[in-house]
Amino acid sequence: MTTLGVIAIDGGNLSLGGGLLALVRPALAMLGEGGVLAILSTNRELDQDLPSWCRAERHEYLGTEETGGGVRRYLIGRRGSPAIDGVPAPSIEAEGARLTTAAVLDVFPMPERAETSTGFAPRDVAVERGGPSYPFDLLERDHVAPPEVATLYDQAVAAQWDASRDIPWPKVRRHEPALDAAVRQIMTFLAENELSALYLPSKFISRIHPAYVEVAMFLATQLQDEARHIDVFLKRARLASGLAISSVTTSRSLLSLLQLHDFSESAFLLSVLGEGTFLDLLSFVERHAPDEATAEIARRARNDESRHVHFGLLHVRHALAHDPLLYGRLEQAVRQRAATLAGASGVPAPVQDALTILAARGSDPESVARGHEAFRELLDTMHQSRLKRLLHAGFTEEQAETISGLHTPNFM
């Protein structure tokens, strides 16, 4: 904080160019307009150097006083407007053994709007004037950062796991050919969709102003989650003799996601609708998994995805509360995406067949009938879950029905 009074520093025998400025400049920064800095020094070079430096820096040199014992007191008056905006923020203390990001955010809240001229300077830092403007365009708190984002980040960091170590890979075993082929197809499909969930959020990190760095930090954990999911899904597919088919419907659907440029639309279509639907898909895979390793893969991935969905819901709810026009934009984004997928009347056939065989646990006709019924029930569960999320986000029942009905048959 600044003061209008007097600050004294002991400069010893330091010269101005030999380290004294490292004491002088921070002390002056603590002074407000009209404050006085007293420098105690035995270095006589300051008689010449300090007046010249004060003229160059536009401070007022107030003269010298003898204090005895060969020590002089050099006085500088703080003049002119500070070249730095803001003041250093106060410190905080950890409670117990942890210092959470959420606790820090409570003390140092986000601004309503950020300035591009502050660049990568952390929130609450004192910023020297005259710096360049940065190309951030996500600058408003209510369109970027739900209040709970720091808590989600803390949860995400605590929940990280290792795809090489934490899956019981030795428990993967070979099954009858039809079931192994189904596992390959499902894991291929999951990996392909997770690639889109890796690339899409990465487009926005560089656009988010560092004043809202907790959002960028959370998205970074989301990218780490998706990278781990891609790794684990591909490993499981290759343990079942390799990858399977990428359908045109899946490719068209995921391209339409990657082409999004609005952060709120992206969070809505990817996290609320797409990843939200994947929660039910992963639950289905876990429930019908043919071995413990496959079930554990689905369980862990679903836990991660639930955080992504939660962020999307919080973001959309918060943004809708501050921008009533967002309702229309989000519905229009869903309609536009549905138009790009015109002609895709259902779940890609390879995926539909694989989910049926997975639920059947085999290929005998009676089991396949049960598997097909389980697949039909999954589609209904996905629709009902989407309705609940949309209502929770703030849509009306009519809007929720419309949006859920328009959602891509590719699930994501």
Side-chain angles (χ1 to χ4, degrees):
M1 58 185 298
T2 60
T3 177
L4 295 178
V6 177
I7 293 178
I9 61 173
D10 183 359
N13 194 43
L14 293 171
S15 66
L16 200 64
L20 183 61
L21 286 178
L23 301 177
V24 170
R25 285 188 290 235
L28 283 170
M30 297 177 65
L31 289 167
E33 175 78 15
V36 175
L37 173 64
I39 306 168
L40 300 177
S41 176
T42 59
N43 191 317
R44 293 296 184 266
E45 294 178 7
L46 298 188
D47 292 350
Q48 304 297 323
D49 293 345
L50 267 182
S52 298
W53 184 82
C54 287
R55 286 194 297 273
E57 297 295 322
R58 299 182 181 178
H59 297 303
E60 183 178 1
Y61 182 66
L62 300 176
T64 306
E65 300 173 348
E66 294 287 348
T67 63
V71 178
R72 287 185 178 180
R73 180 186 292 114
Y74 297 87
L75 301 174
I76 299 175
R78 179 75 160 84
R79 295 291 181 266
S81 300
I84 293 176
D85 291 325
V87 295
S91 61
I92 59 175
E93 295 183 2
E95 294 184 3
R98 302 180 66 221
L99 180 58
T100 65
T101 306
V104 174
L105 186 60
D106 287 341
V107 179
F108 305 110
M110 301 174 185
E112 291 185 9
R113 182 175 176 82
E115 299 298 330
T116 58
S117 60
T118 60
F120 281 124
R123 188 171 64 244
D124 298 308
V125 74
V127 179
E128 185 177 8
R129 294 178 184 172
S133 291
Y134 275 59
F136 305 123
D137 61 0
L138 293 171
L139 302 171
E140 296 181 0
R141 181 188 61 202
D142 293 336
H143 290 90
V144 179
E148 304 87 347
V149 66
T151 298
L152 282 178
Y153 171 75
D154 288 329
Q155 292 172 353
V157 171
Q160 296 298 300
W161 50 280
D162 187 325
S164 299
R165 180 193 62 212
D166 295 330
I167 302 299
W169 294 112
K171 296 188 177 181
V172 171
R173 55 190 177 85
R174 299 302 295 270
H175 308 283
E176 67 167 273
L179 187 53
D180 268 346
V183 171
R184 287 201 311 273
Q185 181 61 65
I186 292 166
M187 294 297 154
T188 299
F189 177 73
L190 290 172
E192 189 173 8
N193 281 268
E194 294 295 70
L195 277 162
S196 75
L198 173 72
Y199 278 74
L200 181 56
S202 70
K203 292 175 54 175
F204 297 98
I205 291 179
S206 64
R207 294 172 52 190
I208 297 172
H209 193 285
Y212 316 116
V213 68
E214 289 83 359
V215 179
M217 289 161 57
F218 175 78
L219 291 181
T221 69
Q222 184 172 340
L223 299 186
Q224 181 58 48
D225 290 342
E226 304 300 3
R228 189 170 55 247
H229 298 171
I230 294 163
D231 179 26
V232 77
F233 293 150
L234 292 178
K235 284 175 177 174
R236 181 62 186 91
R238 287 171 172 135
L239 284 173
S241 300
L243 303 183
I245 297 171
S246 169
S247 71
V248 171
T249 297
T250 296
S251 185
R252 290 172 59 196
S253 176
L254 299 183
L255 176 60
S256 69
L257 277 179
L258 189 62
Q259 291 172 331
L260 293 170
H261 298 290
D262 181 88
F263 185 46
S264 294
E265 291 177 12
S266 167
F268 179 61
L269 269 69
L270 175 66
S271 297
V272 177
L273 292 180
E275 292 179 307
T277 299
F278 260 57
L279 292 180
D280 291 319
L281 177 59
L282 290 166
S283 292
F284 183 91
V285 173
E286 180 184 4
R287 184 164 62 253
H288 297 292
D291 53 70
E292 184 179 340
T294 305
E296 184 67 4
I297 288 169
R299 185 188 70 82
R300 287 182 177 271
R302 179 170 50 82
N303 287 343
D304 292 339
E305 296 294 344
S306 66
R307 288 192 302 274
H308 310 168
V309 175
H310 194 41
F311 171 79
L313 280 170
L314 292 172
H315 173 86
V316 170
R317 280 174 59 90
H318 187 69
L320 285 172
H322 294 85
D323 182 7
L325 296 178
L326 184 58
Y327 285 101
R329 281 174 39 214
L330 295 180
E331 182 174 329
Q332 182 60 25
V334 175
R335 290 186 179 279
Q336 288 178 347
R337 189 174 183 219
T340 67
L341 298 174
S345 59
V347 179
V351 177
Q352 178 175 335
D353 296 343
L355 292 172
T356 297
I357 296 299
L358 182 75
R361 299 288 184 91
S363 56
D364 65 277
E366 186 175 339
S367 297
V368 170
R370 291 196 302 269
H372 180 70
E373 182 60 29
F375 170 73
R376 302 306 303 174
E377 291 174 357
L378 171 64
L379 297 183
D380 183 65
T381 297
M382 288 175 167
H383 175 64
Q384 296 303 321
S385 296
R386 280 196 299 270
L387 292 179
K388 291 178 182 177
R389 286 192 303 277
L390 290 166
L391 292 173
H392 182 67
F395 290 91
T396 66
E397 290 185 7
E398 182 179 359
Q399 289 170 327
E401 284 282 356
T402 298
I403 291 172
S404 181
L406 289 168
H407 183 59
T408 170
N410 188 61
F411 301 152
M412 182 71 84

